């Protein structure tokens, strides 16, 4: 049976993996209301990450209120880049991010100093 939501998630994850190819990815689940990370470290390869069972697991956690973060795993060698996605560019958000010198685009990658 065709699952439109699962298909859209698969397409989004494939695009993200293509944009940042790596051997392993660190998956973080952070509860939206409490801002607490789920315990444990989830390290998955790209093929594990796009497996339907994995995507179903992540979608269930998302429905339960978790934000899902995927980043290349580099042990203690984090690149220091942060993805900033400004879907709603309210003046206070732009003012808060002002020191980062974000241009007029709606999303971008910013180097942390």
């Amino acid at each position: 049976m065709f699952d439109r939501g699962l298909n859209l998630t698969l397409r989004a994850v494939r695009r993200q993996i293509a944009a940042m190819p790596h051997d392993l990815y660190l998956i973080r689940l952070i509860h939206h209301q409490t801002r607490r990370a789920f315990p444990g470290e989830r390290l998955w390869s790209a093929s594990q990450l796009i497996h339907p069972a994995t995507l179903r697991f992540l979608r269930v956690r998302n429905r339960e209120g978790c934000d899902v973060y995927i980043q290349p795993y580099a042990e203690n060698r984090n690149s220091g880049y942060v993805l900033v996605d400004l879907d709603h560019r309210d003046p206070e958000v732009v003012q808060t991010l002002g020191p980062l010198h974000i241009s007029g685009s709606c999303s971008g990658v910013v180097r942390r100093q």
Side-chain angles (χ1 to χ4, degrees), residues 31-49:
H31 194 268
H32 183 75
Q33 288 182 333
T34 65
R35 304 307 304 162
R36 298 187 113 177
F38 270 47
E41 192 170 64
R42 290 160 193 82
L43 295 176
W44 292 329
S45 67
S47 60
Q48 289 173 309
L49 192 52

Side-chain angles (χ1 to χ4, degrees), residues 65-76:
C66 289
D67 295 325
V68 178
Y69 296 89
I70 302 171
Q71 68 186 59
Y73 178 68
E75 295 182 53
N76 60 353

Side-chain angles (χ1 to χ4, degrees), residues 5-70:
L6 182 63
N7 190 43
L8 290 173
T9 301
L10 175 60
R11 288 175 48 198
V13 171
R14 281 186 174 156
R15 275 189 243 134
Q16 185 165 355
I17 290 171
M20 51 183 194
H22 210 273
D23 294 334
L24 287 174
Y25 296 89
L26 174 64
I27 313 309
R28 299 214 40 197
L29 302 173
I30 300 179
H31 194 268
H32 183 75
Q33 288 182 333
T34 65
R35 304 307 304 162
R36 298 187 113 177
F38 270 47
E41 192 170 64
R42 290 160 193 82
L43 295 176
W44 292 329
S45 67
S47 60
Q48 289 173 309
L49 192 52
I50 62 172
H51 192 277
T54 302
L55 292 177
R56 284 186 189 98
F57 167 80
L58 294 174
R59 287 171 51 81
V60 167
R61 299 291 84 77
N62 186 248
R63 278 193 298 270
E64 292 173 345
C66 289
D67 295 325
V68 178
Y69 296 89
I70 302 171

Side-chain angles (χ1 to χ4, degrees), residues 71 77-84 100 109-113:
Q71 68 186 59
R77 299 180 317 269
N78 185 338
S79 65
Y81 290 92
V82 177
L83 175 66
V84 178
L100 296 175
V109 178
V110 179
R111 175 86 173 139
R112 262 193 305 197
Q113 299 297 327

